[in-house]
Amino acid sequence: MAGQHLIIVGKSGVGRSTVAANVGAALAETGRRVLLIGYDNHRSSAGNLSGGSELKALPLWGHGEEPPLYAHGYRGALCLEAGGGVAEDEAAQAALWAHPLVAAFQPEFVLHDVAWEPCGTFRLPVGIDGVASILAVTSADRCALQAVNGLFGWLNTVAAANARLGGVVANNLTGPLQEAIVSDFAGQTGASVTATIPHSIMVSVSDFYSQTLLESAPFSHVTYAYRKLAKTLVEAATQRRPRQLDDEAMRKWSAKWGDIIAELETGVVNGGLGI
Ligand SMILES: Nc1ncnc2c1ncn2[C@@H]1O[C@H](COP(=O)(O)OP(=O)(O)OP(=O)(O)O)[C@@H](O)[C@H]1O
Ligand SMILES: [Mg+2]
Protein backbone atom coordinates (compact mmCIF):
# COMPACT_ATOMS: atom_id res chain seq x y z
CA MET A 1 0.00 0.00 0.00
CA ALA A 2 1.47 3.34 -1.10
CA GLY A 3 1.24 6.57 0.90
CA GLN A 4 3.18 7.79 3.88
CA HIS A 5 2.81 5.21 6.65
CA LEU A 6 2.79 6.41 10.25
CA ILE A 7 2.96 3.71 12.88
CA ILE A 8 1.55 4.92 16.20
CA VAL A 9 3.27 2.91 18.89
CA GLY A 10 3.26 3.10 22.66
CA LYS A 11 2.57 1.30 25.88
CA SER A 12 -1.01 0.27 26.42
CA GLY A 13 -3.16 3.07 27.79
CA VAL A 14 -0.72 5.83 26.95
CA GLY A 15 -3.10 7.39 24.41
CA ARG A 16 -2.18 5.67 21.15
CA SER A 17 -5.71 5.52 19.79
CA THR A 18 -6.44 9.07 20.91
CA VAL A 19 -3.29 10.33 19.19
CA ALA A 20 -3.96 8.24 16.06
CA ALA A 21 -7.53 9.53 15.67
CA ASN A 22 -6.62 13.16 16.34
CA VAL A 23 -3.53 13.22 14.15
CA GLY A 24 -5.66 11.56 11.47
CA ALA A 25 -8.31 14.27 11.84
CA ALA A 26 -5.72 17.05 11.80
CA LEU A 27 -4.15 15.63 8.62
CA ALA A 28 -7.59 15.25 7.04
CA GLU A 29 -8.28 18.88 7.90
CA THR A 30 -5.28 19.89 5.77
CA GLY A 31 -7.00 18.17 2.84
CA ARG A 32 -4.95 14.96 2.93
CA ARG A 33 -6.55 11.61 2.26
CA VAL A 34 -6.21 9.72 5.52
CA LEU A 35 -6.62 6.03 6.22
CA LEU A 36 -6.55 4.92 9.86
CA ILE A 37 -6.22 1.24 10.69
CA GLY A 38 -6.64 -0.10 14.21
CA TYR A 39 -5.37 -3.57 15.05
CA ASP A 40 -6.97 -3.90 18.43
CA ASN A 41 -9.23 -6.75 19.50
CA HIS A 42 -11.54 -4.24 21.15
CA ARG A 43 -11.81 -2.41 17.84
CA SER A 44 -11.54 0.88 19.66
CA SER A 45 -9.18 2.86 17.44
CA ALA A 46 -11.26 4.37 14.68
CA GLY A 47 -14.49 5.22 16.53
CA ASN A 48 -13.61 8.83 17.26
CA LEU A 49 -12.23 9.62 13.82
CA SER A 50 -15.40 8.16 12.31
CA GLY A 51 -17.32 10.65 14.46
CA GLY A 52 -19.31 7.89 16.14
CA SER A 53 -20.91 6.81 12.87
CA GLU A 54 -21.62 3.12 12.70
CA LEU A 55 -18.70 0.92 11.69
CA LYS A 56 -19.89 -1.64 9.17
CA ALA A 57 -18.42 -4.96 8.11
CA LEU A 58 -16.24 -4.60 5.01
CA PRO A 59 -18.37 -6.06 2.20
CA LEU A 60 -17.10 -8.92 0.03
CA TRP A 61 -14.49 -9.96 2.59
CA GLY A 62 -13.21 -13.33 1.52
CA HIS A 63 -10.50 -13.79 4.11
CA GLY A 64 -11.40 -15.37 7.47
CA GLU A 65 -14.59 -15.18 9.44
CA GLU A 66 -14.43 -11.75 11.02
CA PRO A 67 -14.37 -9.03 8.40
CA PRO A 68 -12.66 -5.74 9.25
CA LEU A 69 -15.02 -2.90 10.10
CA TYR A 70 -15.01 0.40 8.25
CA ALA A 71 -16.58 3.85 8.23
CA HIS A 72 -15.98 7.13 6.48
CA GLY A 73 -15.18 9.74 9.08
CA TYR A 74 -14.07 13.29 9.64
CA ARG A 75 -13.24 15.10 6.38
CA GLY A 76 -13.55 11.89 4.38
CA ALA A 77 -11.01 9.88 6.36
CA LEU A 78 -11.38 6.14 5.88
CA CYS A 79 -11.44 4.33 9.23
CA LEU A 80 -10.77 0.61 9.51
CA GLU A 81 -10.82 -1.70 12.49
CA ALA A 82 -8.86 -4.70 11.31
CA GLY A 83 -8.81 -6.58 14.63
CA GLY A 84 -5.99 -8.24 16.53
CA GLY A 85 -3.99 -10.57 14.32
CA VAL A 86 -4.18 -8.77 10.99
CA ALA A 87 -1.00 -6.67 11.41
CA GLU A 88 1.05 -9.86 11.47
CA ASP A 89 -1.01 -11.95 9.06
CA GLU A 90 0.40 -11.40 5.59
CA ALA A 91 -2.55 -12.93 3.76
CA ALA A 92 -5.11 -10.93 5.76
CA GLN A 93 -3.16 -7.67 5.38
CA ALA A 94 -2.76 -8.29 1.62
CA ALA A 95 -6.51 -8.94 1.35
CA LEU A 96 -7.14 -5.67 3.18
CA TRP A 97 -4.86 -3.62 0.88
CA ALA A 98 -6.38 -5.28 -2.19
CA HIS A 99 -9.98 -4.71 -1.08
CA PRO A 100 -11.67 -2.45 -3.68
CA LEU A 101 -12.83 0.05 -1.07
CA VAL A 102 -9.33 0.39 0.40
CA ALA A 103 -7.36 0.17 -2.86
CA ALA A 104 -9.53 2.81 -4.55
CA PHE A 105 -9.12 5.22 -1.65
CA GLN A 106 -5.44 5.94 -2.47
CA PRO A 107 -4.48 7.42 0.87
CA GLU A 108 -1.74 10.01 1.24
CA PHE A 109 -1.29 9.09 4.90
CA VAL A 110 -1.88 5.64 6.39
CA LEU A 111 -1.97 5.62 10.20
CA HIS A 112 -1.54 2.29 11.98
CA ASP A 113 -2.60 2.06 15.63
CA VAL A 114 -0.54 -0.89 16.94
CA ALA A 115 0.45 -2.15 20.37
CA TRP A 116 3.91 -2.34 21.79
CA GLU A 117 4.54 -3.84 25.21
CA PRO A 118 7.91 -3.53 26.97
CA CYS A 119 8.40 -7.29 27.01
CA GLY A 120 6.56 -8.08 23.80
CA THR A 121 7.80 -8.56 20.30
CA PHE A 122 7.13 -5.93 17.69
CA ARG A 123 6.69 -6.23 13.97
CA LEU A 124 5.78 -3.61 11.44
CA PRO A 125 2.41 -4.26 9.86
CA VAL A 126 3.14 -6.19 6.69
CA GLY A 127 2.67 -4.92 3.14
CA ILE A 128 3.92 -1.35 3.60
CA ASP A 129 5.58 0.22 0.55
CA GLY A 130 8.66 2.30 1.37
CA VAL A 131 9.89 3.45 4.73
CA ALA A 132 7.45 3.71 7.63
CA SER A 133 7.67 6.48 10.23
CA ILE A 134 7.26 5.45 13.85
CA LEU A 135 5.52 7.89 16.17
CA ALA A 136 6.36 6.81 19.70
CA VAL A 137 3.58 7.94 22.03
CA THR A 138 4.49 8.28 25.69
CA SER A 139 3.40 9.92 28.89
CA ALA A 140 5.98 11.05 31.41
CA ASP A 141 5.61 7.76 33.35
CA ARG A 142 8.67 5.60 33.71
CA CYS A 143 6.87 2.53 32.34
CA ALA A 144 5.75 4.36 29.21
CA LEU A 145 9.23 5.76 28.63
CA GLN A 146 10.71 2.34 29.23
CA ALA A 147 8.47 0.96 26.49
CA VAL A 148 9.74 3.68 24.15
CA ASN A 149 13.26 2.76 25.11
CA GLY A 150 12.51 -0.85 24.13
CA LEU A 151 11.17 0.43 20.84
CA PHE A 152 14.40 2.35 20.23
CA GLY A 153 16.25 -0.92 20.80
CA TRP A 154 14.10 -2.58 18.14
CA LEU A 155 14.72 0.34 15.78
CA ASN A 156 18.38 -0.60 15.84
CA THR A 157 17.78 -4.16 14.66
CA VAL A 158 17.65 -5.46 11.10
CA ALA A 159 13.92 -6.05 11.49
CA ALA A 160 13.53 -2.27 11.49
CA ALA A 161 15.36 -1.68 8.20
CA ASN A 162 12.20 -0.18 6.65
CA ALA A 163 11.32 1.97 9.65
CA ARG A 164 12.59 5.26 10.95
CA LEU A 165 11.66 7.25 14.03
CA GLY A 166 9.22 9.97 13.05
CA GLY A 167 9.46 11.35 16.55
CA VAL A 168 8.26 11.12 20.12
CA VAL A 169 4.76 12.32 20.94
CA ALA A 170 4.64 13.34 24.59
CA ASN A 171 0.99 12.92 25.56
CA ASN A 172 -1.18 13.66 28.55
CA LEU A 173 1.35 15.96 30.20
CA THR A 174 0.23 17.86 33.28
CA GLY A 175 2.90 20.52 33.41
CA PRO A 176 6.41 21.72 32.69
CA LEU A 177 8.00 19.09 34.92
CA GLN A 178 6.51 16.26 32.88
CA GLU A 179 7.49 18.05 29.70
CA ALA A 180 11.04 18.25 31.02
CA ILE A 181 11.04 14.52 31.86
CA VAL A 182 10.10 13.45 28.32
CA SER A 183 12.30 16.04 26.70
CA ASP A 184 15.27 14.94 28.80
CA PHE A 185 14.60 11.30 27.91
CA ALA A 186 14.50 12.28 24.24
CA GLY A 187 17.71 14.28 24.63
CA GLN A 188 19.43 11.33 26.28
CA THR A 189 18.38 8.95 23.53
CA GLY A 190 19.08 11.31 20.66
CA ALA A 191 15.40 11.39 19.73
CA SER A 192 13.33 14.49 19.25
CA VAL A 193 9.97 15.34 20.77
CA THR A 194 7.76 16.02 17.74
CA ALA A 195 4.71 17.05 19.74
CA THR A 196 3.79 17.89 23.29
CA ILE A 197 0.13 17.18 23.95
CA PRO A 198 -1.12 18.46 27.30
CA HIS A 199 -3.51 16.62 29.58
CA SER A 200 -6.90 18.11 28.80
CA ILE A 201 -10.40 17.47 29.98
CA MET A 202 -11.44 18.25 26.39
CA VAL A 203 -9.95 14.86 25.41
CA SER A 204 -12.53 13.20 27.69
CA VAL A 205 -15.26 15.43 26.36
CA SER A 206 -14.49 14.47 22.76
CA ASP A 207 -14.24 10.82 23.79
CA PHE A 208 -17.74 10.96 25.28
CA TYR A 209 -18.98 12.54 22.05
CA SER A 210 -17.16 9.80 20.07
CA GLN A 211 -15.45 12.49 18.06
CA THR A 212 -11.97 13.82 17.62
CA LEU A 213 -10.98 17.11 19.20
CA LEU A 214 -10.96 18.67 15.74
CA GLU A 215 -14.72 18.16 15.60
CA SER A 216 -15.81 18.65 19.17
CA ALA A 217 -13.32 21.25 20.38
CA PRO A 218 -11.84 22.91 17.29
CA PHE A 219 -10.41 25.87 19.19
CA SER A 220 -9.06 24.08 22.24
CA HIS A 221 -5.33 24.46 22.91
CA VAL A 222 -4.88 20.69 22.74
CA THR A 223 -6.45 20.70 19.26
CA TYR A 224 -3.83 23.19 18.14
CA ALA A 225 -1.15 20.85 19.42
CA TYR A 226 -2.53 18.22 17.02
CA ARG A 227 -2.69 20.70 14.14
CA LYS A 228 0.94 21.57 14.78
CA LEU A 229 1.91 17.90 14.79
CA ALA A 230 0.04 17.30 11.51
CA LYS A 231 1.85 20.26 9.96
CA THR A 232 5.19 18.83 11.00
CA LEU A 233 4.26 15.49 9.45
CA VAL A 234 3.05 17.08 6.22
CA GLU A 235 6.13 19.28 5.88
CA ALA A 236 8.28 16.20 6.19
CA ALA A 237 6.60 14.97 3.01
CA THR A 238 6.05 18.13 0.95
CA GLN A 239 6.56 21.87 1.25
CA ARG A 240 3.63 24.05 0.31
CA ARG A 241 3.61 27.80 -0.20
CA PRO A 242 1.55 29.82 2.26
CA ARG A 243 -1.75 31.22 1.01
CA GLN A 244 -2.83 34.81 1.57
CA LEU A 245 -6.32 35.38 3.01
CA ASP A 246 -8.55 37.65 0.93
CA ASP A 247 -10.35 40.55 2.63
CA GLU A 248 -13.55 38.61 3.29
CA ALA A 249 -11.73 35.61 4.72
CA MET A 250 -9.62 37.94 6.86
CA ARG A 251 -12.71 39.70 8.19
CA LYS A 252 -14.40 36.38 9.07
CA TRP A 253 -11.30 35.09 10.74
CA SER A 254 -10.93 38.26 12.76
CA ALA A 255 -14.59 38.25 13.87
CA LYS A 256 -14.37 34.59 14.90
CA TRP A 257 -11.45 35.26 17.19
CA GLY A 258 -13.23 38.33 18.57
CA ASP A 259 -16.12 36.03 19.54
CA ILE A 260 -13.85 33.42 21.07
CA ILE A 261 -11.88 35.88 23.14
CA ALA A 262 -15.05 37.67 24.27
CA GLU A 263 -16.58 34.36 25.38
CA LEU A 264 -13.48 33.46 27.30
CA GLU A 265 -13.20 36.88 28.90
CA THR A 266 -16.86 37.44 29.80
CA GLY A 267 -17.99 33.85 30.41
CA VAL A 268 -21.04 34.56 28.22
CA VAL A 269 -21.35 31.67 25.78
CA ASN A 270 -22.83 32.54 22.39
CA GLY A 271 -21.66 30.09 19.73
CA GLY A 272 -19.66 28.00 22.17
CA LEU A 273 -16.45 28.64 20.23
CA GLY A 274 -14.50 29.76 23.26
CA ILE A 275 -15.20 26.66 25.33
N1 LIG B 1 -3.99 14.32 26.44
C1 LIG B 1 -4.91 13.66 27.13
N2 LIG B 1 -5.62 14.31 28.10
C2 LIG B 1 -6.57 13.65 28.81
N3 LIG B 1 -6.89 12.37 28.63
C3 LIG B 1 -6.24 11.66 27.68
C4 LIG B 1 -5.21 12.27 26.89
N4 LIG B 1 -4.74 11.33 26.02
C5 LIG B 1 -5.44 10.21 26.27
N5 LIG B 1 -6.33 10.40 27.26
C6 LIG B 1 -7.29 9.42 27.81
O1 LIG B 1 -6.55 8.27 28.21
C7 LIG B 1 -7.32 7.10 28.00
C8 LIG B 1 -6.49 6.09 27.20
O2 LIG B 1 -6.32 6.59 25.87
P1 LIG B 1 -6.32 5.60 24.62
O3 LIG B 1 -7.48 4.70 24.63
O4 LIG B 1 -6.11 6.47 23.43
O5 LIG B 1 -5.00 4.78 24.93
P2 LIG B 1 -4.39 3.52 24.16
O6 LIG B 1 -2.92 3.65 24.31
O7 LIG B 1 -4.93 3.44 22.79
O8 LIG B 1 -4.95 2.34 25.05
P3 LIG B 1 -5.18 0.78 24.69
O9 LIG B 1 -3.89 0.12 25.03
O10 LIG B 1 -6.30 0.38 25.57
O11 LIG B 1 -5.49 0.67 23.22
C9 LIG B 1 -8.60 7.53 27.30
O12 LIG B 1 -9.63 7.61 28.24
C10 LIG B 1 -8.26 8.90 26.74
O13 LIG B 1 -9.42 9.73 26.66
MG1 LIG C 1 -6.01 1.92 21.80
Coordinates of all heavy atoms in Angstrom, one line a residue, residues 10-19 40 42 44 113 117 171-173 197-201 203-204 207 222 226, ligand 1:
G10 N 3.1 2.7 21.3 CA 3.3 3.1 22.7 C 2.7 2.1 23.6 O 2.0 1.2 23.2
K11 N 3.1 2.2 24.9 CA 2.6 1.3 25.9 C 1.0 1.4 26.0 O 0.5 2.5 25.7 CB 3.2 1.7 27.2 CG 2.8 0.8 28.4 CD 3.4 1.3 29.7 CE 2.9 0.5 30.8 NZ 1.4 0.8 31.0
S12 N 0.4 0.3 26.3 CA -1.0 0.3 26.4 C -1.5 1.4 27.4 O -1.0 1.6 28.4 CB -1.4 -1.1 26.9 OG -2.8 -1.1 27.2
G13 N -2.5 2.1 26.9 CA -3.2 3.1 27.8 C -2.5 4.4 27.7 O -3.0 5.4 28.3
V14 N -1.5 4.6 27.0 CA -0.7 5.8 26.9 C -1.4 6.9 26.1 O -1.1 8.1 26.2 CB 0.7 5.5 26.5 CG1 0.9 5.6 25.0 CG2 1.7 6.3 27.2
G15 N -2.4 6.4 25.3 CA -3.1 7.4 24.4 C -2.9 7.2 22.9 O -3.1 8.1 22.1
R16 N -2.4 6.0 22.6 CA -2.2 5.7 21.2 C -3.4 6.0 20.3 O -3.3 6.7 19.3 CB -1.9 4.2 21.0 CG -0.4 3.8 21.2 CD -0.2 2.4 20.7 NE -1.4 1.5 20.9 CZ -1.6 0.7 21.9 NH1 -0.8 0.7 22.9 NH2 -2.7 0.0 21.9
S17 N -4.5 5.4 20.7 CA -5.7 5.5 19.8 C -6.2 7.0 19.7 O -6.6 7.4 18.7 CB -6.8 4.6 20.3 OG -6.4 3.3 20.3
T18 N -6.1 7.7 20.9 CA -6.4 9.1 20.9 C -5.5 9.9 20.0 O -6.0 10.7 19.2 CB -6.3 9.6 22.4 OG1 -7.1 8.8 23.2 CG2 -6.7 11.0 22.5
V19 N -4.2 9.6 20.0 CA -3.3 10.3 19.2 C -3.6 10.0 17.7 O -3.6 10.8 16.9 CB -1.8 10.0 19.6 CG1 -0.8 10.5 18.5 CG2 -1.5 10.6 21.0
D40 N -6.7 -3.6 17.0 CA -7.0 -3.9 18.4 C -8.2 -4.8 18.5 O -9.2 -4.6 17.8 CB -7.2 -2.5 19.0 CG -7.8 -2.4 20.4 OD1 -8.4 -3.4 20.8 OD2 -7.8 -1.4 21.0
H42 N -10.3 -5.0 20.7 CA -11.5 -4.2 21.2 C -12.1 -3.3 20.1 O -13.1 -2.7 20.2 CB -11.2 -3.4 22.4 CG -10.6 -4.2 23.5 ND1 -11.3 -5.1 24.2 CD2 -9.4 -4.2 24.0 CE1 -10.5 -5.7 25.1 NE2 -9.3 -5.1 25.0
S44 N -11.2 -0.4 19.0 CA -11.5 0.9 19.7 C -10.6 2.0 19.2 O -10.4 3.0 19.8 CB -11.4 0.7 21.2 OG -10.1 0.3 21.5
D113 N -2.6 2.0 14.2 CA -2.6 2.1 15.6 C -2.3 0.7 16.1 O -3.1 -0.2 16.2 CB -4.0 2.5 16.1 CG -4.2 2.5 17.6 OD1 -3.2 2.3 18.3 OD2 -5.4 2.7 18.0
E117 N 4.4 -3.6 23.8 CA 4.5 -3.8 25.2 C 6.0 -4.0 25.5 O 6.8 -4.5 24.7 CB 3.8 -5.1 25.7 CG 2.3 -5.0 25.6 CD 1.7 -3.8 26.4 OE1 2.3 -3.4 27.4 OE2 0.7 -3.3 26.0
N171 N 2.4 12.7 25.4 CA 1.0 12.9 25.6 C 0.6 13.0 27.0 O 1.2 12.4 27.9 CB 0.3 11.8 24.8 CG -1.3 11.9 24.9 OD1 -1.8 13.1 24.7 ND2 -2.0 10.9 25.2
N172 N -0.5 13.7 27.2 CA -1.2 13.7 28.6 C -0.3 14.3 29.6 O -0.3 13.9 30.8 CB -1.5 12.2 28.9 CG -2.8 12.1 29.7 OD1 -3.4 13.1 30.0 ND2 -3.2 10.9 30.0
L173 N 0.4 15.3 29.3 CA 1.3 16.0 30.2 C 0.6 17.0 31.1 O -0.2 17.7 30.6 CB 2.5 16.7 29.5 CG 3.3 15.8 28.5 CD1 4.5 16.5 28.0 CD2 3.8 14.5 29.2
I197 N 1.6 17.1 23.8 CA 0.1 17.2 24.0 C -0.2 17.3 25.4 O 0.0 16.3 26.2 CB -0.6 15.9 23.3 CG1 0.0 15.5 22.0 CG2 -2.1 16.2 23.3 CD1 -0.3 16.3 20.8
P198 N -0.8 18.3 25.9 CA -1.1 18.5 27.3 C -2.3 17.5 27.7 O -3.1 17.1 26.9 CB -1.5 19.9 27.5 CG -1.9 20.4 26.1 CD -1.2 19.5 25.1
H199 N -2.3 17.3 29.0 CA -3.5 16.6 29.6 C -4.6 17.6 29.4 O -4.5 18.8 29.7 CB -3.3 16.3 31.1 CG -4.5 15.8 31.7 ND1 -4.9 14.5 31.6 CD2 -5.5 16.4 32.5 CE1 -6.1 14.3 32.3 NE2 -6.4 15.5 32.8
S200 N -5.8 17.2 29.0 CA -6.9 18.1 28.8 C -8.2 17.4 29.0 O -8.4 16.3 28.4 CB -6.9 18.7 27.4 OG -8.1 19.4 27.1
I201 N -9.1 18.0 29.8 CA -10.4 17.5 30.0 C -11.2 17.4 28.7 O -12.1 16.6 28.5 CB -11.2 18.3 31.1 CG1 -12.4 17.6 31.6 CG2 -11.5 19.7 30.6 CD1 -12.1 16.4 32.4
V203 N -10.2 16.2 26.0 CA -10.0 14.9 25.4 C -11.1 13.9 25.9 O -11.7 13.2 25.1 CB -8.6 14.3 25.8 CG1 -8.4 12.9 25.2 CG2 -7.5 15.2 25.2
S204 N -11.4 14.0 27.2 CA -12.5 13.2 27.7 C -13.8 13.6 27.1 O -14.6 12.8 26.7 CB -12.7 13.4 29.2 OG -11.6 12.9 29.9
D207 N -14.1 12.3 23.7 CA -14.2 10.8 23.8 C -15.7 10.5 24.1 O -16.3 9.6 23.5 CB -13.3 10.3 24.9 CG -12.9 8.9 24.7 OD1 -12.9 8.5 23.5 OD2 -12.5 8.2 25.6
V222 N -5.4 22.0 23.0 CA -4.9 20.7 22.7 C -5.1 20.4 21.3 O -4.3 19.7 20.6 CB -5.5 19.6 23.7 CG1 -6.9 19.4 23.5 CG2 -4.7 18.3 23.6
Y226 N -2.4 19.2 18.1 CA -2.5 18.2 17.0 C -2.3 18.8 15.6 O -1.8 18.2 14.8 CB -3.9 17.5 17.1 CG -3.8 16.4 18.2 CD1 -4.6 16.5 19.3 CD2 -3.1 15.3 17.9 CE1 -4.5 15.5 20.3 CE2 -3.0 14.3 18.9 CZ -3.7 14.4 20.1 OH -3.6 13.4 21.0
Ligands
LIG1 N1 -4.0 14.3 26.4 C1 -4.9 13.7 27.1 N2 -5.6 14.3 28.1 C2 -6.6 13.7 28.8 N3 -6.9 12.4 28.6 C3 -6.2 11.7 27.7 C4 -5.2 12.3 26.9 N4 -4.7 11.3 26.0 C5 -5.4 10.2 26.3 N5 -6.3 10.4 27.3 C6 -7.3 9.4 27.8 O1 -6.6 8.3 28.2 C7 -7.3 7.1 28.0 C8 -6.5 6.1 27.2 O2 -6.3 6.6 25.9 P1 -6.3 5.6 24.6 O3 -7.5 4.7 24.6 O4 -6.1 6.5 23.4 O5 -5.0 4.8 24.9 P2 -4.4 3.5 24.2 O6 -2.9 3.6 24.3 O7 -4.9 3.4 22.8 O8 -5.0 2.3 25.1 P3 -5.2 0.8 24.7 O9 -3.9 0.1 25.0 O10 -6.3 0.4 25.6 O11 -5.5 0.7 23.2 C9 -8.6 7.5 27.3 O12 -9.6 7.6 28.2 C10 -8.3 8.9 26.7 O13 -9.4 9.7 26.7

